[in-house]
Amino acid sequence: MKLALNAEQRHAVEYGAGPLLVLAGAGSGKTRVLTARVARLLQEEGERPERILAVTFTNKAAGVMRDRIADLLGEEPRGLWVGTFHSIAARLLRREGDRLQRGANFTIYAEDDSLRAIKRAMEEADLDTQRWSPNLIRARISDAKNALVSADEYAASAFDLAAKATARVYPAYERILARSNAYDFDDLLANAARLLEGVPEVGDRYASRFRHVLVDEYQDTNHAQYRIVKRLAVEHGNICVVGDDDQSIYGWRGADIRNILDFERDFPGAEVVRLEENYRSTPAILEVANEVISNNRDRKDKRLRTRRPAGEPVQVVQLPDERAEASWIVEQIQGAEIGRGPQDHVVLYRTNAQSRPFEDALRRARIAYRIVGGVRFYERREIKDVLAYLQLAVNPADEAAFARAVSWPRRGVGGVTLDRLRRAAAERSVNLLDAAEIARDLDGVPPGGARSLEDFAAGISALSELACEATTEEVIRECIRSFGIVAALELEEDGADRIANVTELLAAASSFDRTDVEDATAEATDLELYLQSAALHADIDDYDDREPGVTLMTLHNAKGLEFPVVYLVGVEEGLFPLARAMESREELEEERRLFYVGVTRAEDRLFVTHANRRWRYGSEVRAEPSSFLAEMPEGPVEHRSLAVGGGRYRGAGTSRARAAGRRAGGGTRAPRESGSFGDPKRASSGGAGWSSGGASFDWHRGGRRQAEPAGEGKLRYDYSDSQEDLRLESGARVVHPRFGDGLILSVSGEGRLTRAEIEFEDGIRRKVMVAHAGLRPA
DNA sequence: TTCCCTCGTATTTTT
DNA sequence: TACGAGGGAA
């Protein structure tokens, strides 16, 4: 095993028994350390592969790790457990199924299946789906599950109205999942944790089997994941976690950054290794990254360093609107230096909705691109429809699959028939499929529908028998044939695309390798394993950096990847950071970490763009540069305005861009109501110092904060002129452009992060960011 | 039952 | 914009 390692990396690889925390900064070679460590355990310590468990967050990361370990060893290690938390939890639940209320053929409900089940649960719990948002309830239940709070426990501590509503839905939802023999995503983790902790025989067996536990991206673990890891590792203590608190970006999904911050307390005697040498980016890029992230409070202090020569300055570019933003970037890609192809560039955005203009511009320029995310393959309607048939063949109890499959293609079974069938099934305590089989004998089921139901049930049972012996591909083929799927799609408007997707499903199924999921000897059928892996599939899993084309993806998907040229786009207040994240320090810090992740993807060049106007929900709103831009250091950054005023952008590329430039510059158009994102109605008093008439903004160095040397020499946005006579103290009266007159109750934070809690004339208390609210004295 | 239209609301991010 | 839900007609 020959691998070039620096001293810290080597220490992390060679450190012996006991807990080990590797704080690995972006681009510091953490995957290298992790894989080298596993290879060393196998090769030099003679550890057997089945005694090692390595956990990641995406299937892609697991695949990379597996491949690299194989490279180091020169052979594929058999028996090694490498996988995502979710897939490993699913494997555990499958193996130990006889101890649980669910059979090993359980269905995994993705988010929209889960949402449907929540809606049904709300009906069953007699809760108005108009009054309570099913999404909100689902999020609350998800949070509870990730925190390992059961329905009973939840009910016991539910005080506010929304919690009380949730407390009624939660048990009903659990009943639906149980009788459907299904788990949602969160259940996989929660039940794995309960199984390991609650059944000593099982917990002991796995804890002693896995003598070494390694966890990648530890900063993104939630409580359930933490408990799984802890149960497996606390006795032998051979746990190695790798992570970077600065790259924790999944707090919204229950990830708890404290898991990594408190590792040394959880596992006393832990060795800590810091990897701060970066092998990816230029000093200019790293300086920007270091400087911006230093504004976070919840972090372990560290600084990335590199030995690379300085490199080009980071460019911050202002453009009139998102189409100009896209055209300008396409021009950069076209005009890039020799030797640089489309595949060297990545466009990173905050939300998937931002991909459109880039797709359009790249298509116009005839540049190949690939897009990660958006509407996921396995979530396309026609794919979900086909999968519902297969799912039902595997798991006859699956109510969601039944409802979905029986409703399409149309066979004369609609809402009424389905409801009657449900009632009849409940009376007899059988599942929907069993009830359908004898539909004509059931009271209340219309005769026409009953006939169809019986045919349908017969078809599913034939499919089910086939699944025991045939390959997944054959089962899908037969499913499509016998239920007339393609025929039904042909009648649809965009049928051709959908048929193409179904064909792709066949291809995906035929290339599925069950050994990626489970030992070849496991009892599960190929179809069962395929369906479970499809449910746990992420778009990024298909990403292959050897394919040609510009990459478009969200910042979340970009974590762990690197590109020679990175375009960080839409860096505007309210979009990045998102408006709703600006209300709390924790969420704002998470947005900043996301920004940091974006910056540190870049090897050689980094472009950060923001637009003056942007379409949102079908109307155009004014946009202001993100406060993150003000946090960038001055030295390694170059600012350009290609909007209007100074150097207006006349997009050489397209007439559309030219038109956009003219519009912005000519002033022929009445200034739109300005204001924050997401609310075109919000009028602005022009408070925050971004000049409002559509002209380019003023960068100017402003008031350094004495208390904070880090502020020195930074660019700042000046909002003093509009607010100099604003009394920012409790008791003061102010006027908010949208909410009207208000009384300040309290003020917190400082500088741009100053927030005021204000009681407005409508009697509602709100917390507003002073720098952006446009407050005026009353 | 199904189809079609209108209307309202939503976008973070993903296993 | 764009999708889902709900209402009304065939």
Side-chain angles (χ1 to χ4, degrees):
Chain A
M1 188 173 84
K2 279 274 163 282
L3 199 59
L5 296 169
N6 68 30
E8 291 78 29
Q9 291 172 333
R10 180 162 304 280
H11 182 55
V13 169
E14 292 176 357
Y15 183 76
L20 172 64
L21 166 62
V22 181
L23 286 171
S28 65
K30 79 181 162 98
T31 308
R32 169 177 284 234
V33 164
L34 219 37
T35 52
R37 193 172 162 83
V38 172
R40 197 207 54 142
L41 289 171
L42 291 169
Q43 209 163 45
E44 287 170 24
E45 299 208 352
E47 196 56 273
R48 293 173 45 202
E50 57 269 28
R51 293 198 161 272
I52 298 175
L53 171 68
V55 201
T56 62
F57 273 82
T58 64
N59 298 299
K60 169 160 177 70
V64 167
M65 200 184 291
R66 189 179 280 282
D67 290 348
R68 293 224 207 153
I69 292 169
D71 282 351
L72 289 173
L73 295 176
E75 62 174 339
E76 186 86 24
R78 303 202 48 93
L80 189 71
W81 279 35
V82 185
T84 65
F85 273 104
H86 287 84
S87 69
I88 282 175
R91 194 193 289 200
L92 214 61
L93 297 175
R94 227 169 20 239
R95 293 182 156 224
E96 310 297 330
D98 47 338
R99 296 169 190 279
L100 300 155
Q101 282 75 42
R102 311 273 203 285
N105 59 336
F106 58 81
T107 303
I108 298 170
Y109 277 6
E111 207 152 343
D112 61 331
D113 305 311
S114 149
L115 189 64
R116 258 175 254 273
I118 292 277
K119 285 177 189 163
R120 282 216 64 78
M122 290 176 75
E123 282 167 32
E124 288 178 21
D126 211 18
L127 217 74
D128 187 358
T129 49
Q130 297 298 319
R131 178 158 152 67
W132 297 103
S133 143
N135 253 317
L136 174 92
I137 304 240
R138 192 191 49 74
R140 291 224 177 195
I141 293 176
S142 172
D143 287 348
K145 287 184 174 181
N146 283 324
L148 297 182
V149 173
S150 70
D152 286 347
E153 289 161 344
Y154 189 91
S157 60
F159 293 116
D160 63 284
L161 276 178
K164 287 203 161 99
T166 307
R168 280 166 59 193
V169 182
Y170 193 169
Y173 174 60
E174 292 289 88
R175 280 196 298 276
I176 291 175
L177 289 171
R179 69 178 192 243
S180 295
N181 189 26
Y183 291 116
D184 65 20
F185 280 145
D186 308 314
D187 283 334
L188 294 175
L189 303 176
N191 286 305
R194 289 209 183 94
L195 185 65
L196 290 170
E197 289 184 345
V199 184
E201 194 265 311
V202 176
D204 291 345
R205 184 147 40 86
Y206 286 96
S208 59
R209 167 188 170 143
F210 295 120
R211 263 205 298 249
H212 298 274
V213 177
L214 300 98
V215 186
D216 191 17
E217 309 277 17
Y218 190 68
Q219 76 281 356
D220 286 329
T221 49
N222 64 30
H223 187 65
Q225 289 161 331
Y226 163 77
R227 293 268 285 265
I228 291 172
V229 169
K230 185 146 186 175
R231 175 63 185 93
L232 291 176
V234 78
E235 287 155 39
H236 53 67
N238 293 323
I239 173 165
C240 166
V241 307
V242 180
D244 179 2
D245 48 312
D246 287 334
Q247 295 186 68
S248 163
I249 56 176
Y250 285 101
W252 51 275
R253 213 169 70 194
D256 191 348
I257 193 170
R258 243 147 279 286
N259 290 342
I260 192 165
L261 296 176
D262 293 346
F263 182 83
E264 295 156 81
R265 200 201 58 199
D266 283 328
F267 295 93
E271 176 77 357
V272 180
V273 181
R274 306 168 90 92
L275 306 180
E276 290 179 280
E277 174 152 11
N278 174 290
Y279 295 93
R280 180 183 294 154
S281 313
T282 64
I285 291 164
L286 289 187
E287 198 182 333
V288 168
N290 282 325
E291 197 59 38
V292 171
I293 199 65
S294 72
N295 289 288
N296 273 8
R297 208 173 77 190
D298 284 339
R299 67 185 292 259
K300 294 188 185 245
D301 194 41
K302 55 190 154 340
R303 257 191 119 72
L304 293 174
R305 46 173 206 277
T306 180
R307 295 183 213 182
R308 288 190 60 174
E312 303 281 333
V314 171
Q315 287 205 24
V316 175
V317 183
Q318 178 191 35
L319 292 142
D321 58 28
E322 74 269 84
R323 286 210 313 259
E325 184 182 49
S327 314
W328 185 79
I329 285 174
V330 167
E331 281 171 35
Q332 300 309 299
I333 293 170
Q334 286 172 320
E337 55 203 82
I338 311 224
R340 208 155 252 176
Q343 72 284 354
D344 294 327
H345 304 258
V346 66
V347 177
L348 301 178
Y349 35 76
R350 180 65 242 265
T351 67
N352 280 307
Q354 289 166 255
S355 70
R356 245 310 165 61
F358 295 96
E359 296 185 66
D360 292 344
L362 287 163
R363 221 176 295 125
R364 275 200 305 272
R366 300 185 184 283
I367 298 175
Y369 68 91
R370 55 238 175 98
I371 181 161
V372 179
V375 188
R376 290 212 282 288
F377 180 71
Y378 286 106
E379 272 165 29
R380 283 170 207 272
R381 199 217 72 206
E382 63 279 14
I383 299 301
K384 290 223 69 155
D385 284 335
V386 174
L387 290 181
Y389 283 88
L390 305 173
Q391 199 63 257
L392 193 57
V394 160
N395 174 12
D398 188 339
E399 292 186 5
F402 183 94
R404 181 151 204 142
V406 83
S407 307
W408 187 87
R410 301 277 173 213
R411 51 171 62 81
V413 176
V416 176
T417 307
L418 193 51
D419 269 352
R420 300 247 169 95
L421 184 74
R422 277 208 175 93
R423 207 162 304 152
E427 273 166 24
R428 298 176 172 230
S429 339
V430 295
N431 66 44
L432 295 179
L433 194 62
D434 290 342
E437 212 167 314
I438 51 162
R440 275 180 294 184
D441 302 336
L442 299 173
D443 294 336
V445 179
R451 207 41 288 147
S452 298
L453 283 169
E454 290 186 10
D455 290 348
F456 175 74
I460 295 294
S461 107
L463 204 58
S464 178
E465 277 167 36
L466 183 65
C468 296
E469 53 206 45
T471 65
T472 299
E473 191 192 351
E474 287 162 349
V475 181
I476 298 179
R477 247 179 235 294
E478 174 57 19
C479 171
I480 291 168
R481 195 196 59 75
S482 64
F483 289 99
I485 305 280
V486 170
L489 286 173
E490 275 168 353
L491 298 175
E492 292 184 12
E493 212 175 328
D494 41 4
D497 287 347
R498 296 187 189 275
I499 291 170
N501 285 332
V502 172
T503 309
E504 204 176 321
L505 179 69
L506 278 167
S510 67
S511 65
F512 174 68
D513 178 1
R514 65 178 286 148
T515 56
D516 284 352
V517 187
E518 183 63 280
D519 322 338
T521 55
E523 282 172 32
T525 64
D526 276 8
L527 183 60
E528 277 173 52
L529 295 178
Y530 173 70
L531 288 172
Q532 291 194 0
S533 84
L536 298 176
H537 175 93
D539 253 334
I540 190 67
D541 296 340
D542 296 330
Y543 175 77
D544 181 348
D545 60 8
R546 291 161 305 187
E547 282 172 24
V550 177
T551 303
L552 310 178
M553 64 174 126
T554 62
L555 287 144
H556 282 87
N557 271 319
K559 193 170 65 162
L561 305 179
E562 58 188 13
F563 295 85
V565 187
V566 169
Y567 304 90
L568 215 50
V569 307
V571 184
E572 294 143 27
E573 204 69 356
L575 179 62
F576 190 21
L578 279 172
R580 54 183 297 174
M582 291 159 59
E583 284 163 27
S584 78
R585 181 182 59 82
E586 286 81 5
E587 287 179 61
L588 185 64
E589 291 199 355
E590 181 150 314
E591 296 284 311
R592 193 177 281 112
R593 290 193 291 268
L594 198 52
F595 187 80
Y596 175 81
V597 166
V599 169
T600 53
R601 296 313 94 198
E603 293 170 4
D604 304 330
R605 302 295 318 266
L606 173 64
F607 297 91
V608 180
T609 62
H610 62 96
N612 287 345
R613 283 170 283 120
R614 190 170 289 275
W615 284 89
R616 263 205 144 180
Y617 301 145
S619 66
E620 200 174 40
V621 293
R622 277 190 49 79
E624 298 169 347
S626 167
S627 54
F628 295 151
L629 296 177
E631 296 174 3
M632 294 171 54
E634 196 181 354
V637 179
E638 217 172 80
H639 292 273
R640 298 172 69 184
S641 176
L642 301 177
V644 286
R648 112 178 23 161
Y649 178 60
R650 299 189 181 280
T654 69
S655 58
R656 292 177 128 197
R658 266 196 297 282
R662 261 200 311 281
R663 264 208 309 283
T668 49
R669 189 178 250 222
R672 297 196 71 91
E673 288 179 302
S674 57
S676 313
F677 264 108
D679 191 351
K681 289 191 296 297
R682 179 188 269 186
S684 164
S685 66
W690 298 103
S691 57
S692 40
S696 66
F697 52 89
D698 296 321
W699 293 97
H700 62 117
R701 283 173 230 203
R704 325 172 167 157
R705 282 172 292 173
Q706 275 117 354
E708 195 186 312
E712 214 171 284
K714 282 189 183 180
L715 290 165
R716 289 214 178 278
Y717 305 131
D718 182 26
Y719 47 87
S720 58
D721 56 349
S722 62
Q723 298 185 331
E724 56 200 0
D725 48 3
L726 184 64
R727 251 188 347 121
L728 260 192
E729 52 190 345
S730 55
R733 295 213 153 265
V734 290
V735 181
H736 187 283
R738 179 162 164 226
F739 302 120
D741 288 302
L743 178 68
I744 297 184
L745 300 174
S746 66
V747 179
S748 59
E750 54 175 322
R752 279 172 307 92
L753 296 180
T754 308
R755 285 179 302 153
E757 187 178 14
I758 301 174
E759 184 169 329
F760 289 98
E761 47 196 350
D762 57 8
I764 296 177
R765 293 175 180 192
R766 297 179 177 87
K767 283 196 168 169
V768 301
M769 298 279 289
V770 174
H772 300 287
L775 297 176
R776 283 179 291 115

